[in-house]
């Protein structure tokens, strides 16, 4: 029989059954399937399906469609609890990942990508909502940093296994995808039955909500989604297409990213708590402008593979600071708005993602450097938006323009 328990009463449970422990378990489960898929993706589609730049752009556009439709989570949570939806989404992600190599054609890969993406994006929407509901405002930056580190640690184990065994055991794409997806499914099924249903203190609105006072958060989400596509779609693709990276080499690059994340993610969480969202996001966007401009230099100036790999690691490191967007929203939000706004924000985040990969895939075939210069411009716009965040954001003080104004409900 399902057990329902409040967050306050959950403090009496054994530590491993408390809400924060479930958040950590979820943080471990999702990256195993998703990053196993990502680590093999570029080599898989090039070697097995003969993808070119236009094909990889189309694949990532398909992958982002469920993110654009994440607002549908609001309708689902009218009938299914967020915690349950999160577990079901993880199971779908794991199953679709496991069967990816069974369909090595353009149509098959796109279909499995769509299914895994539904699981990924619906999980991420619910996960963000639960994090902001279950974590105290004063603890959120630090805990979000540790959750990032936990996800990196789980992925590190998967990548080490791929690196050590890919050539040694002559592993196939199917074997690795089946193992990675299967582990995620196993963890999700365990979590579904081992934990009670936690009740947050504030019931969530179950209708779509768009509030004027959240406009800056929406804008940051939109620009973040646009520039994120450049990294997700083309940074790794560049390493394979231009420098001929093999599976174990691209996995080594991911491995370096993970080690860096494990070390710095908790520190970045503390930095957000100490310096505030305005300063940390501003630092992130300046760094990304420099990184993307340097990516262009890899093509125009002929910089070598070491420079490109270094930029890739720095790129990934700066993106970790995006947790400051979550804590900014937590500070300005009505507690009952968290779940529906998480869904709306995910949809806004993916508006550009639906059309950008295809368009940039075509631009890539003409000028890869131009793709990265465009990303630098996006990061510069994001920097301008970050400067509109007050030093101490709260409800009624959402932007530098609202300071001292009466608190608005919309």
């Amino acid at each position: 029989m399902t057990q329902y328990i409040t967050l306050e009463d959950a403090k009496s449970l054994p530590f491993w059954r408390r809400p924060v422990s479930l958040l950590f378990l979820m943080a471990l489960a999702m990256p195993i399937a998703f990053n196993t898929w990502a680590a093999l993706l570029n080599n898989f589609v090039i070697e097995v399906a003969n993808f070119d730049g236009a094909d990889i752009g189309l694949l990532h556009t398909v992958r982002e469609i469920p993110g654009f439709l994440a607002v549908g989570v609001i309708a689902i949570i009218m009938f299914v609890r967020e915690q349950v939806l999160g577990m079901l989404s993880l199971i779908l992600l794991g199953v679709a990942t496991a069967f990816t190599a069974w369909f090595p054609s353009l149509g098959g890969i796109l279909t499995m990508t769509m299914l895994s993406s539904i699981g990924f994006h619906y999980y991420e929407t619910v996960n963000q909502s639960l994090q902001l509901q279950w974590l105290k405002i004063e603890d959120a930056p630090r805990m979000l940093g540790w959750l990032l580190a936990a996800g990196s640690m789980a992925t590190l184990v998967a990548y080490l296994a791929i690196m050590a065994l890919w050539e040694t055991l002559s592993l196939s794409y199917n074997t690795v995808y089946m193992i990675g997806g299967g582990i995620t499914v196993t963890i999700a099924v365990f979590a579904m039955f081992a934990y009670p249903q936690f009740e947050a203190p504030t019931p969530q609105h179950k209708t779509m909500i768009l509030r004027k006072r959240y406009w800056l958060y929406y804008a940051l989400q939109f620009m973040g989604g646009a520039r994120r596509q450049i990294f997700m779609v083309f940074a790794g693709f560049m390493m394979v297409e231009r420098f001929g990276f093999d599976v174990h080499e691209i996995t080594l690059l991911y491995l370096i990213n993970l080690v860096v994340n494990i070390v710095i993610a908790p520190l970045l969480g503390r930095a957000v708590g100490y310096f505030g969202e305005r300063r940390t996001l501003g630092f992130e966007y300046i760094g990304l402008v420099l990184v993307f401009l340097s990516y262009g230099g890899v093509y125009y100036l002929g910089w070598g593979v070491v420079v490109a790999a270094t930029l890739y690691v720095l790129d990934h490191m700066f993106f970790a600071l995006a947790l400051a967007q979550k804590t900014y929203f937590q500070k300005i939000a009505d507690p009952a708005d968290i779940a529906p706004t998480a869904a709306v924000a995910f949809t806004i985040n993916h508006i550009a993602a639906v059309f950008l990969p295809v368009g940039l895939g075509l631009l890539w075939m003409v000028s890869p450097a131009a793709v990265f210069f465009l990303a630098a411009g996006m990061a510069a716009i994001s920097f301008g938006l970050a400067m509109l965040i007050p030093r101490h954001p709260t409800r009624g003080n959402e932007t530098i323009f609202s300071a001292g104004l009466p608190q608005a409900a919309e």
Side-chain angles (χ1 to χ4, degrees):
M1 184 175 180
T2 304
Q3 180 185 8
Y4 298 91
I5 187 169
T6 66
L7 296 184
E8 186 64 29
D9 291 340
K11 295 177 181 179
S12 62
L13 293 174
F15 183 77
W16 72 270
R17 295 194 72 208
R18 295 178 186 177
V20 68
S21 299
L22 177 56
L23 290 177
F24 271 96
L25 189 62
M26 293 161 63
L28 295 173
M30 186 281 290
I32 294 175
F34 178 77
N35 286 308
T36 297
W37 175 83
L40 302 183
L41 177 67
N42 289 306
N43 293 89
F44 178 66
V45 299
I46 289 175
E47 295 173 10
V48 177
N50 298 315
F51 273 31
D52 58 20
D55 293 329
I56 196 69
L58 176 61
L59 182 146
H60 283 282
T61 290
V62 169
R63 185 178 67 84
E64 297 296 354
I65 290 174
F68 178 71
L69 300 176
V71 71
V73 168
I74 298 173
I76 297 176
I77 62 175
M78 293 176 65
F79 309 100
V80 180
R81 294 178 59 86
E82 286 185 86
Q83 189 174 328
V84 174
L85 178 57
M87 297 305 107
L88 293 175
S89 298
L90 278 177
I91 291 172
L92 178 58
L93 168 62
V95 170
T97 299
F99 294 146
T100 293
W102 289 28
F103 306 95
S105 64
L106 175 61
I109 293 171
L110 293 181
T111 299
M112 299 313 295
T113 296
M114 172 67 80
L115 292 174
S116 66
S117 183
I118 292 172
F120 171 79
H121 285 100
Y122 277 41
Y123 162 77
E124 281 295 320
T125 301
V126 171
N127 182 51
Q128 177 172 307
S129 172
L130 294 179
Q131 287 175 348
L132 299 185
Q133 290 180 64
W134 292 356
L135 298 176
K136 296 180 180 179
I137 288 179
E138 59 271 22
D139 295 334
R142 176 176 56 87
M143 293 306 300
L144 289 174
W146 280 108
L147 287 168
L148 280 174
S152 296
M153 180 64 75
T155 313
L156 175 63
V157 174
Y159 284 173
L160 283 174
I162 292 174
M163 284 187 59
L165 303 177
W166 179 261
E167 292 187 331
T168 303
L169 301 181
S170 299
L171 293 176
S172 66
Y173 290 110
N174 182 56
T175 299
V176 178
Y177 278 136
M178 289 289 289
I179 293 173
I183 292 174
T184 294
V185 171
T186 301
I187 294 175
V189 171
F190 168 79
M192 182 175 290
F193 294 102
Y195 286 84
Q197 293 293 310
F198 298 113
E199 300 276 5
T202 304
Q204 296 296 292
H205 294 307
K206 293 181 172 61
T207 57
M208 189 172 74
I209 291 174
L210 286 170
R211 299 201 188 278
K212 293 179 181 178
R213 63 189 185 89
Y214 298 160
W215 73 267
L216 181 55
Y217 175 66
Y218 298 148
L220 288 167
Q221 285 288 319
F222 176 80
M223 293 307 304
R227 60 186 166 73
R228 178 174 54 87
Q229 291 308 305
I230 312 295
F231 175 77
M232 290 292 295
V233 179
F234 296 105
F237 192 74
M238 174 187 68
M239 304 305 295
V240 176
E241 183 186 65
R242 181 170 179 80
F243 299 108
F245 270 39
D246 201 351
V247 166
H248 66 283
E249 293 170 323
I250 200 72
T251 304
L252 175 61
L253 195 56
Y254 292 150
L255 181 64
I256 294 171
N257 278 341
L258 290 169
V259 173
V260 171
N261 238 29
I262 291 169
V263 174
I264 71 167
L267 300 178
L268 294 179
R270 290 182 178 275
V272 173
Y274 183 80
F275 292 106
E277 290 78 11
R278 174 190 172 100
R279 292 180 179 178
T280 50
L281 286 175
F283 177 75
E284 174 194 356
Y285 299 141
I286 290 175
L288 288 174
V289 168
L290 297 176
V291 166
F292 285 132
L293 289 176
S294 299
Y295 273 138
V298 170
Y299 282 90
Y300 276 132
L301 302 178
W303 296 342
V305 64
V306 174
V307 173
T310 301
L311 292 171
Y312 188 90
V313 174
L314 289 173
D315 196 345
H316 191 269
M317 182 185 72
F318 283 122
F319 270 108
L321 282 171
L323 67 88
Q325 288 189 25
K326 293 183 181 181
T327 59
Y328 165 64
F329 175 67
Q330 187 184 37
K331 291 178 179 179
I332 68 172
D334 182 328
D337 290 349
I338 290 176
T341 304
V344 169
F346 239 73
T347 293
I348 292 172
N349 185 271
H350 287 77
I351 291 174
V354 172
F355 64 84
L356 203 60
V358 169
L360 293 183
L362 297 175
L363 178 61
W364 180 272
M365 299 178 73
V366 177
S367 173
V371 172
F372 293 122
F373 292 149
L374 180 61
M378 295 175 182
I381 293 173
S382 296
F383 173 80
L385 291 171
M387 294 302 99
L388 303 181
I389 298 176
R391 186 164 184 177
H392 301 288
T394 58
R395 291 182 63 186
N397 187 32
E398 295 85 5
T399 74
I400 59 174
F401 304 120
S402 57
L405 297 177
Q407 181 175 323
E410 296 297 333

